[in-house]
Amino acid sequence: MRKYITIVSLCLSVFLMSCDNYLDLVPKGESVLNTTDDYLGLVESMASEYPTGDFWYFSGDATWPYKNEIENYKYPLRSIAFLWDETEGLRQQHTVTSELYSKCYSRIANYNIVVENVNDAEGPLADKKLAMAQAKAMRAYNYFILVNTFAKPYVKETAATDNGIIIHKKFDLENESKQYSVQEVYDFIMEDLNAAIPDLPEKPLNEFRPSLAFGWALKAKVHLYKGELDSALNAGLEVLKSTYHKLWDMRPMYYDVVAELPFMDFMSTGWDSYAIHPKADPENLLYQFCNNDNGEPFPFWIRK
């Protein structure tokens, strides 16, 4: 009897060992997060542009350059955004559904995974600090886009009671979503930025990862949207210290091209191909298109 028990025990051991080995296998086409390089990869998005649709008017710096058309609401969304027109129901009349909401929260989920787990990954401490900083900077940016698209503008007197957006501070599929106030969202954004900036690199690995100038620029914009002008100015001056980024003065650039190639004034595709920087250029942030009838560069959309 003892002999049979021993044989059965050995069979079970072999079976369980086989199960463990099978569970350790990574399915074909999939990967696991083990190293800091794995987590740094989550900071990047190969489709880093944000869905433009109608919503970009409310979150970007670019606007329509013709004053009379802005004042006359020829293109309502452009006017609403530029004039900060909060007339009840007006914006909703002219907007359509967009993937912006889901795209931002999808990215935030990746950043949360990095923030929660990178310190336990295999790799140098410097890479862990870098991944943490870049994930927090991009998480702050996505929340900034969301709160300024789907919630009320920041008003100091009412921000604590104005409904904001949902904040996911951790990656937890079972956690119940909670809507935070506008003030709480801005506080979380600033908390992420203050934690990220000291460890952001002057020159990132590629254009899909945020730099130190990106962190300061976003901080400047957050202060600006809160009406904290002195703080916005101070953060903006930090951006100008960058040796990696530079100001891109597009108007003289455009007229230099037209002087050299007069036909360019009538070819939007020609200006487009001239104005776009190479993919790896640090100024590959703003795509420009010419307006055919007026012949001036027009900011089309902002990537980061």
CSV table of all heavy atoms in Angstrom, one decimal, residues 117-150:
chain,number,residue,atom,x,y,z
A,117,ASN,N,4.5,50.1,-9.8
A,117,ASN,CA,5.3,48.9,-9.9
A,117,ASN,C,6.8,49.1,-10.3
A,117,ASN,O,7.6,48.2,-10.1
A,117,ASN,CB,4.7,47.9,-10.9
A,117,ASN,CG,3.3,47.5,-10.5
A,117,ASN,OD1,3.1,46.8,-9.5
A,117,ASN,ND2,2.3,48.0,-11.2
A,118,VAL,N,7.2,50.2,-10.8
A,118,VAL,CA,8.5,50.3,-11.4
A,118,VAL,C,9.6,50.2,-10.3
A,118,VAL,O,10.7,49.7,-10.6
A,118,VAL,CB,8.7,51.7,-12.2
A,118,VAL,CG1,8.7,52.9,-11.2
A,118,VAL,CG2,10.0,51.6,-13.0
A,119,ASN,N,9.3,50.6,-9.1
A,119,ASN,CA,10.3,50.5,-8.0
A,119,ASN,C,10.7,49.0,-7.7
A,119,ASN,O,11.7,48.8,-7.1
A,119,ASN,CB,9.9,51.2,-6.8
A,119,ASN,CG,10.0,52.7,-6.9
A,119,ASN,OD1,10.9,53.2,-7.6
A,119,ASN,ND2,9.2,53.5,-6.2
A,120,ASP,N,9.8,48.1,-8.1
A,120,ASP,CA,10.1,46.7,-7.8
A,120,ASP,C,10.7,46.0,-9.0
A,120,ASP,O,10.9,44.8,-9.0
A,120,ASP,CB,8.8,46.0,-7.4
A,120,ASP,CG,8.2,46.5,-6.1
A,120,ASP,OD1,9.0,46.9,-5.2
A,120,ASP,OD2,7.0,46.6,-6.0
A,121,ALA,N,10.9,46.8,-10.1
A,121,ALA,CA,11.5,46.2,-11.3
A,121,ALA,C,13.0,46.0,-11.3
A,121,ALA,O,13.7,46.5,-10.4
A,121,ALA,CB,11.1,47.1,-12.5
A,122,GLU,N,13.5,45.1,-12.2
A,122,GLU,CA,14.9,44.9,-12.3
A,122,GLU,C,15.5,46.0,-13.1
A,122,GLU,O,15.0,46.3,-14.2
A,122,GLU,CB,15.2,43.6,-13.0
A,122,GLU,CG,14.6,42.4,-12.3
A,122,GLU,CD,14.7,41.1,-13.1
A,122,GLU,OE1,15.4,41.2,-14.2
A,122,GLU,OE2,14.2,40.1,-12.7
A,123,GLY,N,16.5,46.7,-12.6
A,123,GLY,CA,17.2,47.8,-13.3
A,123,GLY,C,17.7,48.8,-12.4
A,123,GLY,O,17.5,48.8,-11.1
A,124,PRO,N,18.5,49.7,-12.9
A,124,PRO,CA,19.2,50.8,-12.1
A,124,PRO,C,18.2,51.7,-11.4
A,124,PRO,O,17.1,52.0,-12.0
A,124,PRO,CB,20.1,51.5,-13.1
A,124,PRO,CG,19.6,51.2,-14.4
A,124,PRO,CD,18.9,49.8,-14.3
A,125,LEU,N,18.6,52.3,-10.3
A,125,LEU,CA,17.7,53.2,-9.6
A,125,LEU,C,17.5,54.4,-10.4
A,125,LEU,O,16.3,55.0,-10.4
A,125,LEU,CB,18.4,53.6,-8.3
A,125,LEU,CG,17.7,54.7,-7.4
A,125,LEU,CD1,16.3,54.2,-7.0
A,125,LEU,CD2,18.5,55.0,-6.2
A,126,ALA,N,18.4,54.9,-11.2
A,126,ALA,CA,18.2,56.1,-12.0
A,126,ALA,C,17.1,55.9,-13.0
A,126,ALA,O,16.3,56.8,-13.3
A,126,ALA,CB,19.5,56.4,-12.8
A,127,ASP,N,17.0,54.7,-13.6
A,127,ASP,CA,15.9,54.4,-14.5
A,127,ASP,C,14.6,54.4,-13.8
A,127,ASP,O,13.5,54.7,-14.4
A,127,ASP,CB,16.2,53.1,-15.3
A,127,ASP,CG,17.2,53.2,-16.3
A,127,ASP,OD1,17.7,54.3,-16.6
A,127,ASP,OD2,17.6,52.2,-16.9
A,128,LYS,N,14.5,53.9,-12.6
A,128,LYS,CA,13.3,53.8,-11.8
A,128,LYS,C,12.8,55.3,-11.6
A,128,LYS,O,11.6,55.6,-11.7
A,128,LYS,CB,13.5,53.1,-10.5
A,128,LYS,CG,13.8,51.6,-10.7
A,128,LYS,CD,14.1,50.9,-9.4
A,128,LYS,CE,14.4,49.4,-9.6
A,128,LYS,NZ,14.6,48.7,-8.3
A,129,LYS,N,13.7,56.1,-11.2
A,129,LYS,CA,13.3,57.5,-10.9
A,129,LYS,C,12.9,58.2,-12.2
A,129,LYS,O,11.9,59.0,-12.2
A,129,LYS,CB,14.5,58.3,-10.3
A,129,LYS,CG,14.9,57.8,-8.9
A,129,LYS,CD,16.2,58.4,-8.4
A,129,LYS,CE,16.0,59.9,-8.1
A,129,LYS,NZ,17.3,60.4,-7.5
A,130,LEU,N,13.6,57.9,-13.3
A,130,LEU,CA,13.2,58.5,-14.6
A,130,LEU,C,11.8,58.0,-15.0
A,130,LEU,O,11.0,58.8,-15.4
A,130,LEU,CB,14.2,58.1,-15.7
A,130,LEU,CG,13.9,58.5,-17.1
A,130,LEU,CD1,13.9,60.0,-17.3
A,130,LEU,CD2,14.9,57.9,-18.1
A,131,ALA,N,11.5,56.7,-14.9
A,131,ALA,CA,10.2,56.2,-15.3
A,131,ALA,C,9.1,56.8,-14.4
A,131,ALA,O,8.0,57.2,-14.9
A,131,ALA,CB,10.2,54.7,-15.2
A,132,MET,N,9.4,56.9,-13.2
A,132,MET,CA,8.4,57.5,-12.2
A,132,MET,C,8.1,58.9,-12.6
A,132,MET,O,6.9,59.3,-12.7
A,132,MET,CB,8.9,57.4,-10.8
A,132,MET,CG,8.0,57.9,-9.7
A,132,MET,SD,6.6,56.7,-9.4
A,132,MET,CE,7.5,55.5,-8.5
A,133,ALA,N,9.1,59.7,-12.9
A,133,ALA,CA,8.9,61.1,-13.2
A,133,ALA,C,8.2,61.3,-14.5
A,133,ALA,O,7.3,62.1,-14.6
A,133,ALA,CB,10.3,61.8,-13.3
A,134,GLN,N,8.6,60.5,-15.6
A,134,GLN,CA,7.9,60.7,-16.9
A,134,GLN,C,6.5,60.2,-16.8
A,134,GLN,O,5.6,60.8,-17.5
A,134,GLN,CB,8.8,60.0,-17.9
A,134,GLN,CG,10.1,60.7,-18.2
A,134,GLN,CD,10.9,60.0,-19.3
A,134,GLN,OE1,10.9,58.8,-19.5
A,134,GLN,NE2,11.6,60.9,-20.1
A,135,ALA,N,6.2,59.2,-16.1
A,135,ALA,CA,4.8,58.7,-16.0
A,135,ALA,C,4.0,59.7,-15.3
A,135,ALA,O,2.8,59.9,-15.7
A,135,ALA,CB,4.8,57.3,-15.3
A,136,LYS,N,4.5,60.3,-14.2
A,136,LYS,CA,3.7,61.3,-13.5
A,136,LYS,C,3.5,62.6,-14.3
A,136,LYS,O,2.4,63.2,-14.2
A,136,LYS,CB,4.4,61.6,-12.1
A,136,LYS,CG,4.2,60.5,-11.1
A,136,LYS,CD,4.8,60.9,-9.7
A,136,LYS,CE,4.5,59.9,-8.7
A,136,LYS,NZ,4.9,60.3,-7.3
A,137,ALA,N,4.5,62.9,-15.1
A,137,ALA,CA,4.3,64.1,-15.9
A,137,ALA,C,3.3,63.9,-17.0
A,137,ALA,O,2.4,64.8,-17.2
A,137,ALA,CB,5.7,64.5,-16.6
A,138,MET,N,3.3,62.7,-17.6
A,138,MET,CA,2.3,62.5,-18.6
A,138,MET,C,0.9,62.2,-18.0
A,138,MET,O,-0.1,62.5,-18.6
A,138,MET,CB,2.7,61.3,-19.5
A,138,MET,CG,3.9,61.5,-20.3
A,138,MET,SD,3.7,63.0,-21.4
A,138,MET,CE,2.3,62.5,-22.4
A,139,ARG,N,0.9,61.7,-16.8
A,139,ARG,CA,-0.4,61.5,-16.1
A,139,ARG,C,-1.0,62.9,-15.8
A,139,ARG,O,-2.2,63.1,-16.1
A,139,ARG,CB,-0.3,60.7,-14.9
A,139,ARG,CG,-1.6,60.4,-14.1
A,139,ARG,CD,-1.4,59.4,-13.0
A,139,ARG,NE,-0.6,59.9,-11.9
A,139,ARG,CZ,-0.3,59.2,-10.8
A,139,ARG,NH1,-0.8,57.9,-10.7
A,139,ARG,NH2,0.4,59.7,-9.8
A,140,ALA,N,-0.2,63.8,-15.4
A,140,ALA,CA,-0.7,65.1,-15.1
A,140,ALA,C,-1.2,65.8,-16.4
A,140,ALA,O,-2.3,66.5,-16.4
A,140,ALA,CB,0.4,66.0,-14.5
A,141,TYR,N,-0.5,65.6,-17.5
A,141,TYR,CA,-0.9,66.2,-18.7
A,141,TYR,C,-2.3,65.7,-19.2
A,141,TYR,O,-3.1,66.4,-19.6
A,141,TYR,CB,0.1,65.9,-19.8
A,141,TYR,CG,-0.2,66.5,-21.2
A,141,TYR,CD1,-0.3,67.9,-21.3
A,141,TYR,CD2,-0.6,65.7,-22.2
A,141,TYR,CE1,-0.6,68.5,-22.5
A,141,TYR,CE2,-0.9,66.3,-23.5
A,141,TYR,CZ,-0.9,67.7,-23.6
A,141,TYR,OH,-1.3,68.2,-24.8
A,142,ASN,N,-2.5,64.4,-19.1
A,142,ASN,CA,-3.7,63.8,-19.5
A,142,ASN,C,-4.9,64.3,-18.7
A,142,ASN,O,-6.0,64.5,-19.1
A,142,ASN,CB,-3.6,62.3,-19.6
A,142,ASN,CG,-3.0,61.8,-20.8
A,142,ASN,OD1,-3.6,61.4,-21.8
A,142,ASN,ND2,-1.6,61.8,-20.9
A,143,TYR,N,-4.7,64.4,-17.4
A,143,TYR,CA,-5.7,64.9,-16.5
A,143,TYR,C,-6.0,66.3,-16.8
A,143,TYR,O,-7.1,66.8,-16.7
A,143,TYR,CB,-5.3,64.7,-15.0
A,143,TYR,CG,-5.7,63.3,-14.5
A,143,TYR,CD1,-4.7,62.5,-13.8
A,143,TYR,CD2,-6.9,62.7,-14.7
A,143,TYR,CE1,-5.0,61.2,-13.4
A,143,TYR,CE2,-7.2,61.5,-14.2
A,143,TYR,CZ,-6.3,60.7,-13.6
A,143,TYR,OH,-6.6,59.5,-13.1
A,144,PHE,N,-5.0,67.1,-17.1
A,144,PHE,CA,-5.2,68.5,-17.5
A,144,PHE,C,-6.0,68.6,-18.7
A,144,PHE,O,-6.9,69.5,-18.8
A,144,PHE,CB,-3.8,69.2,-17.7
A,144,PHE,CG,-3.9,70.6,-18.0
A,144,PHE,CD1,-4.3,71.5,-17.0
A,144,PHE,CD2,-3.6,71.2,-19.2
A,144,PHE,CE1,-4.3,72.9,-17.2
A,144,PHE,CE2,-3.7,72.5,-19.5
A,144,PHE,CZ,-4.0,73.4,-18.5
A,145,ILE,N,-5.8,67.8,-19.7
A,145,ILE,CA,-6.6,67.8,-20.9
A,145,ILE,C,-8.0,67.4,-20.6
A,145,ILE,O,-9.0,68.1,-21.0
A,145,ILE,CB,-6.0,66.7,-21.9
A,145,ILE,CG1,-4.7,67.2,-22.5
A,145,ILE,CG2,-7.1,66.5,-23.1
A,145,ILE,CD1,-4.8,68.3,-23.5
A,146,LEU,N,-8.2,66.4,-19.8
A,146,LEU,CA,-9.6,65.9,-19.4
A,146,LEU,C,-10.4,67.0,-18.6
A,146,LEU,O,-11.5,67.3,-18.9
A,146,LEU,CB,-9.5,64.7,-18.6
A,146,LEU,CG,-9.1,63.4,-19.4
A,146,LEU,CD1,-8.7,62.3,-18.4
A,146,LEU,CD2,-10.2,63.0,-20.3
A,147,VAL,N,-9.7,67.6,-17.6
A,147,VAL,CA,-10.5,68.5,-16.8
A,147,VAL,C,-10.8,69.8,-17.5
A,147,VAL,O,-11.9,70.4,-17.3
A,147,VAL,CB,-9.7,68.9,-15.5
A,147,VAL,CG1,-8.5,69.8,-15.8
A,147,VAL,CG2,-10.6,69.4,-14.4
A,148,ASN,N,-10.0,70.2,-18.5
A,148,ASN,CA,-10.3,71.4,-19.3
A,148,ASN,C,-11.2,71.1,-20.5
A,148,ASN,O,-11.6,72.1,-21.2
A,148,ASN,CB,-9.0,72.1,-19.7
A,148,ASN,CG,-8.4,72.8,-18.6
A,148,ASN,OD1,-8.9,73.9,-18.2
A,148,ASN,ND2,-7.4,72.3,-18.0
A,149,THR,N,-11.5,69.9,-20.7
A,149,THR,CA,-12.4,69.5,-21.8
A,149,THR,C,-13.8,69.1,-21.3
A,149,THR,O,-14.8,69.5,-21.8
A,149,THR,CB,-11.9,68.4,-22.6
A,149,THR,OG1,-10.6,68.7,-23.1
A,149,THR,CG2,-12.8,68.1,-23.8
A,150,PHE,N,-13.8,68.4,-20.1
A,150,PHE,CA,-15.1,67.8,-19.7
A,150,PHE,C,-15.6,68.4,-18.3
A,150,PHE,O,-16.5,67.9,-17.7
A,150,PHE,CB,-14.9,66.3,-19.5
A,150,PHE,CG,-14.6,65.7,-20.8
A,150,PHE,CD1,-13.3,65.2,-21.1
A,150,PHE,CD2,-15.5,65.5,-21.8
A,150,PHE,CE1,-13.0,64.6,-22.3
A,150,PHE,CE2,-15.2,64.9,-23.0
A,150,PHE,CZ,-13.9,64.5,-23.3
